Amino acid sequence: MKAAIQPAGLTRLCVHTVTTKPWGVEEAAGRYAAAGVKGITVWRQALDGRDAGAVGGMLRAHGLEVVSLCRGGFFAAPDEAGRQRAIDDNLAAIGEAEALGAPLLVLVCGAVPGLPLEEARGQIRGGIEAVLPAAVEAGVRLAIEPLHPMYADDRSAINTLAQANEVAEAIGSEFVGVAVDVYHLWWDPDLEREIQRCARSGSLLAFHVCDWKTPTVDLLNDRGLMGEGCIPLRQIRSWVEAAGFRGFNEVEIFSERYWAQDQQEFLERIVEAYQKYV
Ligand code: ZN
């Protein structure tokens, strides 16, 4: 008989600052730590008007591990000037990650309506290669996060883990890997195989969780809390762990519905749902 998959345990729980967007990063840090959260992924907006180094120190003083900085990317653009702006912005993000003490920058790679997806993927690879020396110098790894195909028009031309693996393998640096977000990838019949594929090269760098609601009423900001939808969370976590991943399970929920609620109550529900479903 196959053994049941055990709950993940709080020691590997990370929350993204955007999940509790109404809180500033200082308030989030104090409340996450008090709730038993061990890791934090910082969204760049949370650094607005702040010194990234000071924020990193503040987070570590709360006992939180800085898991990653979200997000860089958006490399595809209609013209050369746009692609250069993207490269400059990613160089800035790498600098912020280094100052913050985040070992990883997550990339939402970009797409432009009307630009053929193949071309966009070529631009994405070119953009990553352009910033790679700076990432190596800073000691910051880059994670390509495939996005659900519903975002293929304007957010990412990389829509499956296979495509992300192809780009990462083509670049061939230990500083470039992939992020698996269940919201984007849960439907993919090749998911288990592609998780094993990236694990062989040690390029599985991050694991994001939430849930897929039926119906989803907003393509961007209606993600579900774990257990509210149809994603086989524990099964996907077991694939990721079978592939050797030992990093944090990161709760990343964009939800107008939850942002409008009491954030402390929401955080308590996150911790509960994490223990029950992840
Ligand atoms: Zn994600």
mmCIF file of all heavy atoms in Angstrom, residues 128-164:
data_model
loop_
_atom_site.group_PDB
_atom_site.id
_atom_site.type_symbol
_atom_site.label_atom_id
_atom_site.label_comp_id
_atom_site.label_asym_id
_atom_site.label_seq_id
_atom_site.Cartn_x
_atom_site.Cartn_y
_atom_site.Cartn_z
ATOM 1 N N ILE A 128 17.534 37.259 -20.387
ATOM 2 C CA ILE A 128 18.123 36.548 -19.236
ATOM 3 C C ILE A 128 19.639 36.457 -19.407
ATOM 4 O O ILE A 128 20.401 36.699 -18.464
ATOM 5 C CB ILE A 128 17.487 35.147 -19.079
ATOM 6 C CG1 ILE A 128 15.999 35.269 -18.713
ATOM 7 C CG2 ILE A 128 18.224 34.338 -18.000
ATOM 8 C CD1 ILE A 128 15.244 33.946 -18.707
ATOM 9 N N GLU A 129 20.073 36.153 -20.627
ATOM 10 C CA GLU A 129 21.526 36.053 -20.855
ATOM 11 C C GLU A 129 22.224 37.405 -20.646
ATOM 12 O O GLU A 129 23.356 37.450 -20.168
ATOM 13 C CB GLU A 129 21.794 35.512 -22.266
ATOM 14 C CG GLU A 129 21.504 34.015 -22.337
ATOM 15 C CD GLU A 129 21.568 33.427 -23.748
ATOM 16 O OE1 GLU A 129 21.358 34.184 -24.722
ATOM 17 O OE2 GLU A 129 21.800 32.214 -23.859
ATOM 18 N N ALA A 130 21.493 38.483 -20.956
ATOM 19 C CA ALA A 130 22.096 39.814 -20.794
ATOM 20 C C ALA A 130 22.314 40.169 -19.321
ATOM 21 O O ALA A 130 23.260 40.878 -18.978
ATOM 22 C CB ALA A 130 21.223 40.868 -21.470
ATOM 23 N N VAL A 131 21.422 39.677 -18.450
ATOM 24 C CA VAL A 131 21.564 40.050 -17.029
ATOM 25 C C VAL A 131 22.285 38.972 -16.214
ATOM 26 O O VAL A 131 22.618 39.193 -15.045
ATOM 27 C CB VAL A 131 20.197 40.369 -16.377
ATOM 28 C CG1 VAL A 131 19.500 41.492 -17.141
ATOM 29 C CG2 VAL A 131 19.297 39.138 -16.272
ATOM 30 N N LEU A 132 22.540 37.831 -16.832
ATOM 31 C CA LEU A 132 23.126 36.709 -16.098
ATOM 32 C C LEU A 132 24.474 37.029 -15.438
ATOM 33 O O LEU A 132 24.670 36.678 -14.266
ATOM 34 C CB LEU A 132 23.233 35.492 -17.033
ATOM 35 C CG LEU A 132 23.765 34.197 -16.427
ATOM 36 C CD1 LEU A 132 22.967 33.780 -15.202
ATOM 37 C CD2 LEU A 132 23.743 33.079 -17.480
ATOM 38 N N PRO A 133 25.397 37.713 -16.143
ATOM 39 C CA PRO A 133 26.674 38.008 -15.469
ATOM 40 C C PRO A 133 26.477 38.801 -14.173
ATOM 41 O O PRO A 133 27.150 38.541 -13.173
ATOM 42 C CB PRO A 133 27.435 38.837 -16.520
ATOM 43 C CG PRO A 133 26.831 38.423 -17.836
ATOM 44 C CD PRO A 133 25.383 38.152 -17.551
ATOM 45 N N ALA A 134 25.525 39.747 -14.190
ATOM 46 C CA ALA A 134 25.270 40.535 -12.974
ATOM 47 C C ALA A 134 24.677 39.652 -11.870
ATOM 48 O O ALA A 134 24.981 39.824 -10.683
ATOM 49 C CB ALA A 134 24.317 41.694 -13.292
ATOM 50 N N ALA A 135 23.829 38.696 -12.260
ATOM 51 C CA ALA A 135 23.231 37.796 -11.275
ATOM 52 C C ALA A 135 24.296 36.909 -10.631
ATOM 53 O O ALA A 135 24.308 36.718 -9.407
ATOM 54 C CB ALA A 135 22.151 36.940 -11.942
ATOM 55 N N VAL A 136 25.211 36.408 -11.468
ATOM 56 C CA VAL A 136 26.296 35.566 -10.950
ATOM 57 C C VAL A 136 27.158 36.382 -9.987
ATOM 58 O O VAL A 136 27.483 35.941 -8.883
ATOM 59 C CB VAL A 136 27.145 35.005 -12.121
ATOM 60 C CG1 VAL A 136 28.374 34.277 -11.603
ATOM 61 C CG2 VAL A 136 26.296 34.077 -13.002
ATOM 62 N N GLU A 137 27.498 37.571 -10.397
ATOM 63 C CA GLU A 137 28.327 38.476 -9.585
ATOM 64 C C GLU A 137 27.666 38.763 -8.226
ATOM 65 O O GLU A 137 28.325 38.812 -7.197
ATOM 66 C CB GLU A 137 28.518 39.783 -10.384
ATOM 67 C CG GLU A 137 29.256 40.893 -9.688
ATOM 68 C CD GLU A 137 30.765 40.634 -9.624
ATOM 69 O OE1 GLU A 137 31.269 39.950 -10.543
ATOM 70 O OE2 GLU A 137 31.406 41.103 -8.666
ATOM 71 N N ALA A 138 26.329 38.920 -8.259
ATOM 72 C CA ALA A 138 25.587 39.239 -7.034
ATOM 73 C C ALA A 138 25.261 37.995 -6.209
ATOM 74 O O ALA A 138 24.809 38.104 -5.068
ATOM 75 C CB ALA A 138 24.289 39.965 -7.401
ATOM 76 N N GLY A 139 25.454 36.816 -6.791
ATOM 77 C CA GLY A 139 25.084 35.590 -6.080
ATOM 78 C C GLY A 139 23.581 35.407 -6.000
ATOM 79 O O GLY A 139 23.054 34.813 -5.059
ATOM 80 N N VAL A 140 22.862 35.941 -6.989
ATOM 81 C CA VAL A 140 21.392 35.846 -7.025
ATOM 82 C C VAL A 140 20.986 34.942 -8.188
ATOM 83 O O VAL A 140 21.319 35.215 -9.342
ATOM 84 C CB VAL A 140 20.754 37.244 -7.207
ATOM 85 C CG1 VAL A 140 19.238 37.133 -7.388
ATOM 86 C CG2 VAL A 140 21.088 38.140 -6.021
ATOM 87 N N ARG A 141 20.272 33.865 -7.876
ATOM 88 C CA ARG A 141 19.797 32.990 -8.937
ATOM 89 C C ARG A 141 18.523 33.558 -9.564
ATOM 90 O O ARG A 141 17.800 34.339 -8.933
ATOM 91 C CB ARG A 141 19.529 31.592 -8.392
ATOM 92 C CG ARG A 141 20.815 30.841 -8.118
ATOM 93 C CD ARG A 141 20.511 29.461 -7.593
ATOM 94 N NE ARG A 141 21.664 28.588 -7.810
ATOM 95 C CZ ARG A 141 21.730 27.339 -7.407
ATOM 96 N NH1 ARG A 141 20.704 26.794 -6.772
ATOM 97 N NH2 ARG A 141 22.807 26.618 -7.630
ATOM 98 N N LEU A 142 18.250 33.114 -10.783
ATOM 99 C CA LEU A 142 17.078 33.585 -11.527
ATOM 100 C C LEU A 142 16.155 32.398 -11.784
ATOM 101 O O LEU A 142 16.598 31.364 -12.288
ATOM 102 C CB LEU A 142 17.524 34.187 -12.866
ATOM 103 C CG LEU A 142 18.594 35.289 -12.784
ATOM 104 C CD1 LEU A 142 19.078 35.670 -14.191
ATOM 105 C CD2 LEU A 142 18.039 36.524 -12.064
ATOM 106 N N ALA A 143 14.872 32.544 -11.430
ATOM 107 C CA ALA A 143 13.910 31.456 -11.633
ATOM 108 C C ALA A 143 12.879 31.863 -12.678
ATOM 109 O O ALA A 143 12.157 32.849 -12.508
ATOM 110 C CB ALA A 143 13.205 31.111 -10.325
ATOM 111 N N ILE A 144 12.821 31.088 -13.758
ATOM 112 C CA ILE A 144 11.819 31.309 -14.800
ATOM 113 C C ILE A 144 10.515 30.694 -14.315
ATOM 114 O O ILE A 144 10.442 29.491 -14.079
ATOM 115 C CB ILE A 144 12.255 30.629 -16.115
ATOM 116 C CG1 ILE A 144 13.601 31.188 -16.586
ATOM 117 C CG2 ILE A 144 11.166 30.766 -17.181
ATOM 118 C CD1 ILE A 144 14.249 30.342 -17.676
ATOM 119 N N GLU A 145 9.475 31.523 -14.157
ATOM 120 C CA GLU A 145 8.181 31.011 -13.697
ATOM 121 C C GLU A 145 7.228 30.917 -14.883
ATOM 122 O O GLU A 145 6.793 31.943 -15.413
ATOM 123 C CB GLU A 145 7.593 31.912 -12.612
ATOM 124 C CG GLU A 145 6.236 31.413 -12.134
ATOM 125 C CD GLU A 145 5.726 32.098 -10.862
ATOM 126 O OE1 GLU A 145 6.513 32.769 -10.185
ATOM 127 O OE2 GLU A 145 4.541 31.963 -10.559
ATOM 128 N N PRO A 146 6.880 29.694 -15.326
ATOM 129 C CA PRO A 146 5.884 29.599 -16.397
ATOM 130 C C PRO A 146 4.531 30.083 -15.878
ATOM 131 O O PRO A 146 4.168 29.806 -14.740
ATOM 132 C CB PRO A 146 5.812 28.094 -16.698
ATOM 133 C CG PRO A 146 6.840 27.425 -15.855
ATOM 134 C CD PRO A 146 7.278 28.379 -14.807
ATOM 135 N N LEU A 147 3.808 30.803 -16.742
ATOM 136 C CA LEU A 147 2.473 31.283 -16.381
ATOM 137 C C LEU A 147 1.417 30.529 -17.180
ATOM 138 O O LEU A 147 1.657 30.149 -18.319
ATOM 139 C CB LEU A 147 2.359 32.788 -16.665
ATOM 140 C CG LEU A 147 2.506 33.726 -15.457
ATOM 141 C CD1 LEU A 147 3.785 33.446 -14.689
ATOM 142 C CD2 LEU A 147 2.481 35.186 -15.888
ATOM 143 N N HIS A 148 0.263 30.374 -16.582
ATOM 144 C CA HIS A 148 -0.880 29.725 -17.228
ATOM 145 C C HIS A 148 -1.090 30.325 -18.632
ATOM 146 O O HIS A 148 -0.929 31.539 -18.817
ATOM 147 C CB HIS A 148 -2.123 29.953 -16.359
ATOM 148 C CG HIS A 148 -3.302 29.144 -16.775
ATOM 149 N ND1 HIS A 148 -4.069 29.471 -17.859
ATOM 150 C CD2 HIS A 148 -3.835 28.018 -16.263
ATOM 151 C CE1 HIS A 148 -5.036 28.574 -18.003
ATOM 152 N NE2 HIS A 148 -4.911 27.686 -17.037
ATOM 153 N N PRO A 149 -1.471 29.494 -19.613
ATOM 154 C CA PRO A 149 -1.631 30.010 -20.993
ATOM 155 C C PRO A 149 -2.623 31.156 -21.130
ATOM 156 O O PRO A 149 -2.589 31.881 -22.134
ATOM 157 C CB PRO A 149 -2.114 28.785 -21.784
ATOM 158 C CG PRO A 149 -2.005 27.611 -20.889
ATOM 159 C CD PRO A 149 -1.616 28.047 -19.521
ATOM 160 N N MET A 150 -3.487 31.378 -20.142
ATOM 161 C CA MET A 150 -4.412 32.516 -20.255
ATOM 162 C C MET A 150 -3.668 33.848 -20.216
ATOM 163 O O MET A 150 -4.236 34.886 -20.516
ATOM 164 C CB MET A 150 -5.485 32.458 -19.164
ATOM 165 C CG MET A 150 -4.998 32.674 -17.763
ATOM 166 S SD MET A 150 -6.384 32.527 -16.593
ATOM 167 C CE MET A 150 -5.513 32.533 -15.025
ATOM 168 N N TYR A 151 -2.379 33.810 -19.837
ATOM 169 C CA TYR A 151 -1.566 35.028 -19.811
ATOM 170 C C TYR A 151 -0.590 35.109 -20.987
ATOM 171 O O TYR A 151 0.314 35.937 -20.975
ATOM 172 C CB TYR A 151 -0.751 35.107 -18.518
ATOM 173 C CG TYR A 151 -1.546 35.059 -17.242
ATOM 174 C CD1 TYR A 151 -1.390 34.002 -16.347
ATOM 175 C CD2 TYR A 151 -2.436 36.082 -16.903
ATOM 176 C CE1 TYR A 151 -2.106 33.953 -15.154
ATOM 177 C CE2 TYR A 151 -3.152 36.041 -15.721
ATOM 178 C CZ TYR A 151 -2.984 34.970 -14.854
ATOM 179 O OH TYR A 151 -3.683 34.933 -13.677
ATOM 180 N N ALA A 152 -0.775 34.235 -21.988
ATOM 181 C CA ALA A 152 0.209 34.179 -23.078
ATOM 182 C C ALA A 152 0.197 35.441 -23.939
ATOM 183 O O ALA A 152 1.163 35.720 -24.651
ATOM 184 C CB ALA A 152 -0.039 32.956 -23.957
ATOM 185 N N ASP A 153 -0.879 36.222 -23.876
ATOM 186 C CA ASP A 153 -0.920 37.431 -24.713
ATOM 187 C C ASP A 153 -0.009 38.535 -24.188
ATOM 188 O O ASP A 153 0.707 39.159 -24.954
ATOM 189 C CB ASP A 153 -2.354 37.951 -24.860
ATOM 190 C CG ASP A 153 -2.997 38.330 -23.532
ATOM 191 O OD1 ASP A 153 -2.552 37.806 -22.478
ATOM 192 O OD2 ASP A 153 -3.943 39.139 -23.527
ATOM 193 N N ASP A 154 -0.044 38.766 -22.876
ATOM 194 C CA ASP A 154 0.666 39.971 -22.413
ATOM 195 C C ASP A 154 1.510 39.806 -21.150
ATOM 196 O O ASP A 154 2.135 40.768 -20.711
ATOM 197 C CB ASP A 154 -0.331 41.115 -22.208
ATOM 198 C CG ASP A 154 -1.308 40.836 -21.074
ATOM 199 O OD1 ASP A 154 -1.360 39.679 -20.603
ATOM 200 O OD2 ASP A 154 -2.025 41.770 -20.666
ATOM 201 N N ARG A 155 1.558 38.599 -20.563
ATOM 202 C CA ARG A 155 2.361 38.474 -19.342
ATOM 203 C C ARG A 155 3.509 37.486 -19.469
ATOM 204 O O ARG A 155 4.564 37.690 -18.870
ATOM 205 C CB ARG A 155 1.492 38.084 -18.145
ATOM 206 C CG ARG A 155 0.373 39.076 -17.881
ATOM 207 C CD ARG A 155 -0.402 38.704 -16.629
ATOM 208 N NE ARG A 155 0.251 39.183 -15.441
ATOM 209 C CZ ARG A 155 0.173 40.434 -15.005
ATOM 210 N NH1 ARG A 155 -0.561 41.316 -15.651
ATOM 211 N NH2 ARG A 155 0.802 40.809 -13.923
ATOM 212 N N SER A 156 3.276 36.388 -20.221
ATOM 213 C CA SER A 156 4.382 35.440 -20.374
ATOM 214 C C SER A 156 4.192 34.540 -21.576
ATOM 215 O O SER A 156 3.162 33.887 -21.722
ATOM 216 C CB SER A 156 4.544 34.567 -19.130
ATOM 217 O OG SER A 156 5.649 33.693 -19.321
ATOM 218 N N ALA A 157 5.202 34.478 -22.406
ATOM 219 C CA ALA A 157 5.222 33.561 -23.547
ATOM 220 C C ALA A 157 5.725 32.180 -23.125
ATOM 221 O O ALA A 157 5.803 31.282 -23.940
ATOM 222 C CB ALA A 157 6.109 34.129 -24.648
ATOM 223 N N ILE A 158 6.052 32.055 -21.839
ATOM 224 C CA ILE A 158 6.478 30.749 -21.311
ATOM 225 C C ILE A 158 5.329 30.217 -20.463
ATOM 226 O O ILE A 158 5.036 30.762 -19.390
ATOM 227 C CB ILE A 158 7.782 30.885 -20.517
ATOM 228 C CG1 ILE A 158 8.886 31.284 -21.499
ATOM 229 C CG2 ILE A 158 8.130 29.571 -19.799
ATOM 230 C CD1 ILE A 158 10.238 31.447 -20.905
ATOM 231 N N ASN A 159 4.656 29.179 -20.965
ATOM 232 C CA ASN A 159 3.379 28.763 -20.377
ATOM 233 C C ASN A 159 3.354 27.330 -19.860
ATOM 234 O O ASN A 159 2.343 26.890 -19.325
ATOM 235 C CB ASN A 159 2.257 28.963 -21.400
ATOM 236 C CG ASN A 159 2.249 30.380 -21.929
ATOM 237 O OD1 ASN A 159 2.652 30.634 -23.050
ATOM 238 N ND2 ASN A 159 1.844 31.314 -21.099
ATOM 239 N N THR A 160 4.434 26.606 -20.075
ATOM 240 C CA THR A 160 4.511 25.255 -19.517
ATOM 241 C C THR A 160 5.882 25.083 -18.879
ATOM 242 O O THR A 160 6.840 25.811 -19.209
ATOM 243 C CB THR A 160 4.345 24.163 -20.600
ATOM 244 O OG1 THR A 160 5.433 24.274 -21.522
ATOM 245 C CG2 THR A 160 3.022 24.286 -21.336
ATOM 246 N N LEU A 161 5.963 24.102 -17.990
ATOM 247 C CA LEU A 161 7.257 23.832 -17.367
ATOM 248 C C LEU A 161 8.243 23.322 -18.420
ATOM 249 O O LEU A 161 9.440 23.585 -18.328
ATOM 250 C CB LEU A 161 7.083 22.826 -16.220
ATOM 251 C CG LEU A 161 8.301 22.587 -15.334
ATOM 252 C CD1 LEU A 161 8.888 23.889 -14.806
ATOM 253 C CD2 LEU A 161 7.943 21.645 -14.185
ATOM 254 N N ALA A 162 7.737 22.627 -19.441
ATOM 255 C CA ALA A 162 8.631 22.164 -20.512
ATOM 256 C C ALA A 162 9.314 23.352 -21.193
ATOM 257 O O ALA A 162 10.525 23.328 -21.438
ATOM 258 C CB ALA A 162 7.836 21.349 -21.540
ATOM 259 N N GLN A 163 8.547 24.406 -21.478
ATOM 260 C CA GLN A 163 9.150 25.585 -22.122
ATOM 261 C C GLN A 163 10.170 26.253 -21.195
ATOM 262 O O GLN A 163 11.237 26.700 -21.644
ATOM 263 C CB GLN A 163 8.060 26.585 -22.514
ATOM 264 C CG GLN A 163 7.221 26.117 -23.697
ATOM 265 C CD GLN A 163 5.993 26.996 -23.920
ATOM 266 O OE1 GLN A 163 5.510 27.655 -23.001
ATOM 267 N NE2 GLN A 163 5.516 26.997 -25.143
ATOM 268 N N ALA A 164 9.835 26.339 -19.911
ATOM 269 C CA ALA A 164 10.778 26.942 -18.962
ATOM 270 C C ALA A 164 12.051 26.105 -18.883
ATOM 271 O O ALA A 164 13.166 26.636 -18.879
ATOM 272 C CB ALA A 164 10.130 27.068 -17.582
#
